[in-house]
């Protein structure tokens, strides 16, 4: 089943929070200023269409509901059945008797007020995708640093639960993340579905993500693992 | 107040405000610390025509608090960089020692067949209590702002931070019989920071039937007092307030900012939404209010409140009438550590 395949892929990557999951960037990097696209950049319809394309092509529905079909029941409405729940850590089926085994629940991404994203701003959703910060714990402010306590980056960051791959998706352009936020807030119908809170370490994954931090933004091309092209565009 | 200084508060208590109140300091970012150090107390406003006092039912004030102590018995606070400090920030600081009126497991005597009125105050920084007296009859008769209209027999009663409840307790009939006031499990937590022993039942005090002469039977009156519902036909403002973790409406407290503007003499309905997975008790300064509904379920009867607990991912609607008292008033989460973090806003009335 598709969901099982996705689950095992991410869980293998997360046990035991190995470097397979690229984690929060070097503290010294300075991300670009994140501001909402102006109306001149794109029309609202184009913005929504881009957001929908990003949501579909990044498989959001694979975990958050509806798989790849926006017309499916439960599209982005969060966990509705047990087979949508993730088990993170050393637990079944690989190590049934070991601890900890943490259950995480893909949340309701529809704009329902009490159970979804309805009360979070597009900027809070942007900050969640770019910095992995839980929107409910992070003020509606522009963040200009990844150093705790600086540039509105929280002193005690609370991160989204695995396997949400924000560490990968934060590398998307600002405009793409804003488009996703716009699609989720403006173009999806609210579904009232109360998803259980995800389990996790008491620091909300902060120590895990801090230890395994990769640089953000990514180091400039080419790194030692990459080959530069010569001026003609061919391999050296 | 500066150290060593004196300040005299003078205030008028309007008619109909008889009830159980309490006081504590409210300094910027230091409320939890100062309350933990013991700066709080009870304040009772008694009605001249209190129907329970008229029956000779004795009052007991029970202030519930909890604290954490080191090996030397000193009040202990975690290092600010420790994980415990982060857990305290999330849950609010909880202590492992539970006290009633500053004592661990005190004993209350009750004559055979006797009845007592307990005025219970949750002065803990964050602990929510679910109170029961197994083996005894518990009758819920009042809330933050005094008596209900009608008494309500209950198995247990929940009291969140800063809330008050009034209950009648009917003890046993056999001298020497012992019962306990217990705190039943109540899950108000995020899973990440839920204490491992959250689901244990804890004893708070012993209730012992004395060898005194048996008390005459008491019939609790069917009508305690009149609690008319606030008029909701003329509402000046319907507001939505959103509580998330440490934030109200996505913002932290700013003493130089007014978040809500209201007019004296008007009635407002506030829908308070909690959009996170743990409970937040909402408190409004200066005014009592009535709960209209919780998650759309109408409140069974009106009562006077100044704190209402809003469980995770739910909403509560309250109605408040701003009858007097112009100026700036705070509203905040009454988990003191959340309040200290800025989970607070300012209402200005003109």
């Amino acid at each position: 089943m598709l969901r099982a395949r996705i689950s095992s892929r991410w869980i293998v990557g997360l046990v035991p929070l190995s470097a397979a999951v690229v984690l929060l960037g070097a503290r010294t990097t300075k991300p670009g200023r994140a501001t909402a696209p102006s109306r001149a950049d794109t029309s609202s319809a184009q913005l929504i269409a881009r957001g929908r394309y990003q949501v579909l092509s990044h498989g959001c529905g694979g975990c958050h509901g509806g798989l790849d079909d926006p017309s499916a029941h439960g599209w982005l409405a969060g966990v509705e059945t047990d087979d949508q729940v993730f088990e993170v850590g050393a637990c079944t089926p690989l190590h049934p008797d070991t601890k900890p085994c943490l259950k995480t629940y893909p949340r309701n991404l529809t704009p329902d007020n009490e159970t979804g994203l309805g009360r979070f701003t597009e900027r809070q959703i942007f900050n969640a995708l770019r910095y992995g910060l839980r929107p409910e714990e992070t003020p509606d402010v522009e963040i200009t640093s990844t150093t705790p306590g600086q540039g509105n980056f929280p002193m005690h960051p609370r991160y989204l639960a695995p396997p949400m791959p924000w560490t990968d998706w934060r590398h998307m352009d600002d405009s793409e993340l804003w488009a996703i936020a716009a699609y989720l807030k403006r173009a999806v119908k609210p579904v009232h579905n109360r998803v259980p809170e995800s389990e996790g370490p008491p620091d909300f994954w902060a120590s895990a993500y801090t230890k395994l931090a990769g640089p953000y933004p990514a180091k400039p091309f080419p790194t030692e693992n990459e080959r530069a092209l010569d001026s003609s565009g061919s391999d050296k | 107040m500066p150290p060593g200084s004196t300040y005299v508060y003078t205030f008028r208590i309007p008619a109909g405000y008889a009830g159980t109140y309490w006081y504590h300091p409210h300094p910027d970012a230091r409320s939890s610390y100062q309350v933990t150090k013991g700066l709080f107390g009870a304040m009772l406003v008694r009605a001249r025509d209190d129907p329970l006092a008229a029956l000779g039912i004795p009052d007991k004030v029970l202030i519930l608090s909890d604290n954490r102590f080191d090996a030397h018995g000193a009040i202990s606070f975690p290092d600010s960089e420790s994980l415990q400090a982060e857990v305290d920030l999330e849950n609010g600081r909880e202590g492992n020692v539970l006290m009633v009126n500053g004592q661990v497991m005190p004993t209350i005597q009750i004559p055979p067949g006797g009845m007592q009125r307990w005025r219970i105050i949750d002065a803990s920084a964050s602990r929510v209590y679910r109170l029961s007296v197994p083996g005894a009859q518990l009758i819920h008769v009042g809330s933050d702002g005094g008596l209900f209209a009608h008494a309500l027999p209950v198995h247990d009663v929940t009291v969140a931070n800063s809330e008050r409840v009034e209950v009648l307790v009917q003890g046993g009939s056999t001298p020497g019989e012992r019962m306990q006031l217990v705190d039943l499990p109540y899950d108000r937590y995020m899973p990440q920071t839920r204490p491992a022993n959250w689901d244990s039942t804890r004893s708070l005090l012993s209730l012992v039937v004395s060898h005194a002469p048996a008390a005459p039977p008491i019939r609790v009156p069917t009508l305690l007092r009149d609690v008319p519902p606030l008029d909701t036909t003329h509402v000046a403002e319907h507001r939505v307030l959103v509580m998330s973790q440490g934030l109200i409406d996505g913002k932290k407290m700013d003493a130089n900012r007014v978040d809500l503007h209201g007019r004296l003499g008007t009635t407002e309905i506030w829908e308070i939404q909690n959009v996170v997975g743990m409970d937040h008790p909402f408190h409004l300064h200066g005014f009592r209010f009535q709960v209209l509904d919780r998650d759309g379920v109408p409140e069974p009867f009106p009562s006077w409140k100044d704190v209402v607990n809003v469980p995770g991912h739910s909403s509560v609607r309250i109605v408040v009438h701003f009858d007097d008292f112009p100026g700036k008033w705070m509203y905040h989460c009454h988990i003191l550590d959340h309040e200290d973090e800025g989970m607070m806003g300012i209402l200005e009335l003109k």
Side-chain angles (χ1 to χ4, degrees), chain B residues 64-86:
Chain B
L64 309 182
S65 65
D66 60 354
N67 221 320
R68 210 184 279 160
F69 301 93
D70 66 17
H72 306 289
I75 295 172
S76 95
F77 292 94
D79 181 79
S80 63
E81 295 302 310
S82 66
L83 184 60
Q84 185 61 52
E86 288 202 41

Side-chain angles (χ1 to χ4, degrees), chain A:
Chain A
M1 176 182 177
L2 179 58
R3 184 164 343 269
R5 187 170 59 76
I6 294 171
S7 308
S8 58
R9 175 182 139 219
W10 284 109
I11 288 168
V12 168
L14 281 154
V15 179
L17 280 171
S18 74
V21 177
V22 181
L23 296 166
L24 187 67
R27 298 300 188 198
T28 52
T29 57
K30 292 279 185 287
R33 287 174 64 82
T35 51
S38 71
R39 285 188 184 279
D41 289 337
T42 177
S43 75
S44 186
Q46 286 172 323
L47 182 68
I48 298 302
R50 280 174 62 196
R52 185 177 192 258
Y53 161 74
Q54 296 294 355
V55 164
L56 277 166
S57 60
H58 284 79
C60 300
C63 298
H64 291 276
L67 299 178
D68 63 347
D69 179 5
S71 72
H73 169 80
W75 173 242
L76 304 179
V79 170
E80 291 184 312
T81 57
D82 285 346
D83 67 342
Q84 288 173 281
V85 180
F86 286 91
E87 291 179 332
V88 178
C91 47
T92 55
L94 296 174
H95 309 283
D97 300 322
T98 54
K99 302 265 179 182
C101 173
L102 302 169
K103 288 186 175 176
T104 68
Y105 301 83
R107 67 188 295 167
N108 180 349
L109 302 184
T110 73
D112 182 64
N113 285 340
E114 279 127 28
T115 66
L117 301 182
R119 292 299 178 192
F120 302 123
T121 64
E122 291 178 27
R123 183 159 58 186
Q124 284 171 299
I125 299 170
F126 176 95
N127 287 340
L129 292 166
R130 169 56 49 79
Y131 302 104
L133 296 169
R134 292 162 60 88
E136 60 268 47
E137 307 246 9
T138 309
D140 175 18
V141 291
E142 182 184 343
I143 294 174
T144 56
S145 171
T146 55
T147 305
Q150 293 182 16
N152 283 330
F153 195 91
M155 183 59 83
H156 300 288
R158 310 293 210 210
Y159 293 109
L160 302 175
M164 173 67 192
W166 62 270
T167 48
D168 302 331
W169 295 347
R170 66 188 165 145
H171 295 286
M172 295 162 75
D173 285 348
D174 283 3
S175 62
E176 292 172 312
L177 298 182
W178 283 114
I180 293 173
Y183 171 71
L184 295 177
K185 278 283 287 184
R186 304 181 211 173
V188 178
K189 289 183 182 172
V191 177
H192 192 78
N193 179 34
R194 197 169 297 182
V195 174
E197 287 289 311
S198 291
E199 298 168 353
D203 67 354
F204 292 77
W205 307 100
S207 54
Y209 283 120
T210 303
K211 273 184 221 154
L212 297 170
Y216 178 80
K219 288 181 182 170
F221 179 84
T223 65
E224 56 272 30
N225 299 319
E226 296 164 320
R227 289 191 296 181
L229 305 179
D230 65 20
S231 56
S232 68
S234 60
D235 291 351
K236 273 185 179 170

